[in-house]
Amino acid sequence: MTAGAPARTGGPADLAGLRRIAIATLDANWEHDHTVPSRTLYPHQWSWDSAFIAIGLAQVRPERAWRELASLFRAQWADGRVPHIVFNPALRVGAYFPGPELWRSAIAEGVPAVDTSGLVQPPVHALAAWLAYRRAPDLGALRRLYPALVAQQRYLAERRDLTGDGLACVVHPWESGLDNSPAWDEPMAAVPAEATVMRAYRRHDTAHADAAHRPTDLDYARYLALVASYRDRGYRDRGLADDHPFLVECPMFNAAFGAAEHALAEIAVLVGADPGPHRARAARITEALVRRLYDPATGTFAPRDLRTDRLVPARTVLGLAPLILPDLPARQVDALVVEARSARFGVARRMDRPLPSHDRTAPDFEPVRYWRGPSWLNVGWLVRRGLLAHGHPELAAGLRRSMIGLVAGAGCHEYFHPDTGAGLGSPAFGWTAALLLDLLAEDAGIPPG
Ligand code: 2M8
């Protein structure tokens, strides 16, 4: 099969082969108690990667699925934040940039023994734990995780809801997981930085991936300025609104925040806790998302820049994520289905091109540059869950076929060209392999969680 082959599911033999490739990728990326997203580009443990990876591991290596989540939560800070990177102390200095020497997490209060970043990522972990349990039940492991998952949510609700409106804000584009999405162009333009500061550093990513497929030096200069701003206040959240230059409410982050409460309600029932408060919080988050981030003029959700109190104009795939909320009102569901089916995103029963990360009709759509156009399996997987939850099985099936076709055509790449399907970024990427296994499991008669 060649890169760019049309999306297709293939026969059972093809599917068995794909499954083997995905398992081999996860096995090769396994590192004593976690899975690295990529041996070359991302050799440490990443937060939301581990959640997606646990969902796939639950299909094939159940014991590892629970170890993956447990190792991540061992690095949880006393305030409840789950760091977006947990550094492997065995790796040499320079194995990843920016490494522990730049984050200096030890300066903060209540940190674990291991070095971490000070940022978070979308809280998809409760959903992952719930799905892992459905596929590979381990009540003891779920019981141990439950209080940590609750603390993760408490951190976001109590420390990151800067306006008291019920949503959590992100303080760095890395927290959204969609680092250089056009969604961040406008708020990032206000972050003072010069691309030339990067002359003082050696970027690790561009030594392993084509620079044209990655964020620019100016993006990185701003990323570092934001890290410095947060680190220099000891990663404390109090007073962020006074001087931190990037504060945004992201629709995907908050959709994950709400979906986590729905998952925690299910988990609470199993572990003998009260699901009621989780259901109430889930309802409040959905209500706040609709009130704060839904734009009736465009019929989609958009990030709100707290510095200007305006919705950002870019129409990215982030806007479709609230579909994962089972209690999203019908008006917003219908509008998002229209948006998903539009020429911007092209979701269909038979998709001729994969789901892009950005509006493909926009002038700033860039087909090979990271989160500015390419297709990613984790986002497609979330959107597909949303379509299933809201009664659109044919669209969900079209998206599933398209995602499986991408991996069939190019392998377990990190991301894919949104026109040709060619593989981009890391060729052996953790969540691509894991979520493919989850998608394939349905052919084995295992329903989606
Ligand atoms: C990417 O982000 C890291 C920084 O966290 C990077 O570019 O070095 C993003 O795709 C993010 O969503 C992902 O979790 C991470 C590891 O796969 O890589």
Side-chain angles (χ1 to χ4, degrees):
M1 280 172 284
T2 56
R8 64 187 187 86
T9 314
D14 293 327
L15 295 185
L18 273 186
R19 196 166 181 277
R20 274 196 300 278
I21 291 170
I23 296 171
T25 302
L26 290 178
D27 283 349
N29 288 11
W30 177 255
E31 179 61 53
H32 71 278
D33 63 1
H34 65 275
T35 309
V36 297
S38 152
R39 286 270 166 208
T40 52
L41 269 171
Y42 317 105
H44 301 282
Q45 182 173 26
W46 259 260
S47 171
W48 79 328
D49 296 65
S50 278
F52 291 125
I53 287 167
I55 293 168
L57 284 177
Q59 307 285 347
V60 292
R61 304 276 185 262
E63 186 258 346
R64 284 188 185 173
W66 294 108
R67 280 176 75 191
E68 181 86 40
L69 292 171
S71 65
L72 176 68
F73 278 86
R74 268 201 300 281
Q76 186 170 32
W77 291 25
D79 62 11
R81 90 180 72 192
V82 178
H84 102 290
I85 307 175
V86 182
F87 290 106
N88 177 353
L91 293 186
R92 62 173 176 80
V93 175
Y96 174 77
F97 176 81
E101 64 289 346
L102 209 122
W103 292 95
R104 300 204 290 274
S105 55
I107 60 158
E109 285 160 19
V111 291
V114 64
D115 284 327
T116 71
S117 79
L119 302 175
V120 296
Q121 271 188 326
V124 287
H125 311 78
L127 177 62
W130 167 236
L131 294 180
Y133 181 81
R134 296 271 308 259
R135 304 274 157 82
D138 181 338
L139 196 53
L142 197 62
R143 242 185 240 291
R144 285 189 291 280
L145 269 178
Y146 175 72
L149 292 165
V150 171
Q152 177 185 29
Q153 291 289 99
R154 194 181 309 122
Y155 168 74
L156 296 174
E158 291 180 0
R159 310 278 176 112
R160 289 301 191 85
D161 181 0
L162 298 193
T163 59
D165 62 22
L167 299 182
C169 77
V170 294
V171 303
H172 194 298
W174 283 339
E175 296 203 306
S176 74
L178 273 65
D179 306 0
N180 66 340
S181 167
W184 314 131
D185 289 359
E186 206 175 274
M188 281 294 264
V191 177
E194 296 283 342
T196 48
V197 305
M198 293 311 295
R199 291 195 196 135
Y201 300 99
R202 183 194 287 229
R203 278 177 66 174
H204 166 83
D205 58 327
T206 42
H208 294 276
D210 189 332
H213 302 177
R214 295 282 312 175
T216 63
D217 271 0
L218 180 57
D219 292 329
Y220 261 80
R222 290 184 169 134
Y223 297 154
L224 295 188
L226 289 175
V227 169
S229 162
Y230 199 29
R231 182 197 59 212
D232 294 350
R233 57 190 309 119
Y235 298 111
R236 279 185 209 91
D237 295 310
R238 202 184 304 275
L240 272 174
D242 298 336
D243 52 13
H244 190 68
F246 182 94
L247 299 168
V248 180
E249 291 172 348
C250 166
M252 182 178 281
F253 192 101
N254 281 288
F257 184 39
E261 292 296 344
H262 285 284
L264 284 171
E266 305 280 1
I267 295 172
V269 173
L270 286 166
V271 304
D274 181 2
H278 295 301
R279 294 199 184 112
R281 281 197 287 272
R284 280 203 297 276
I285 293 169
T286 300
E287 183 277 324
L289 251 166
V290 170
R291 180 167 39 82
R292 298 272 300 166
L293 305 187
Y294 180 68
D295 182 355
T298 56
T300 190
F301 287 77
R304 181 175 291 274
D305 185 344
L306 293 184
R307 298 240 147 255
T308 58
D309 199 25
R310 285 215 320 256
L311 295 180
V312 306
R315 291 171 86 144
T316 72
V317 79
L318 288 166
L320 301 180
L323 272 178
I324 62 170
L325 294 167
D327 52 354
L328 192 68
R331 176 149 177 256
Q332 279 72 34
V333 170
D334 294 347
L336 288 190
V337 171
V338 170
E339 176 75 351
R341 298 180 72 159
S342 73
R344 286 181 284 282
F345 295 102
V347 173
R349 291 169 184 214
R350 302 187 72 79
M351 293 180 58
D352 53 2
R353 289 180 296 180
L355 176 71
S357 46
H358 183 38
D359 170 2
R360 61 165 79 244
T361 68
D364 56 354
F365 177 75
E366 291 186 68
V368 295
R369 200 183 287 282
Y370 217 37
W371 290 99
R372 303 184 70 86
S375 188
W376 292 73
L377 242 67
N378 64 333
V379 173
W381 181 88
L382 287 169
V383 171
R384 174 177 172 273
R385 275 190 72 77
L387 290 168
L388 277 179
H390 293 289
H392 293 279
E394 297 91 354
L395 292 178
L399 191 48
R400 173 177 181 269
R401 268 194 302 276
S402 163
M403 288 190 279
I404 295 174
L406 281 176
V407 186
C412 290
H413 268 270
E414 184 181 2
Y415 45 106
F416 301 87
H417 193 293
D419 296 322
T420 67
L424 301 168
S426 162
F429 193 65
W431 79 42
T432 302
L435 296 176
L436 177 82
L437 288 172
D438 189 66
L439 294 173
L440 291 179
E442 283 171 46
D443 278 345
I446 307 171

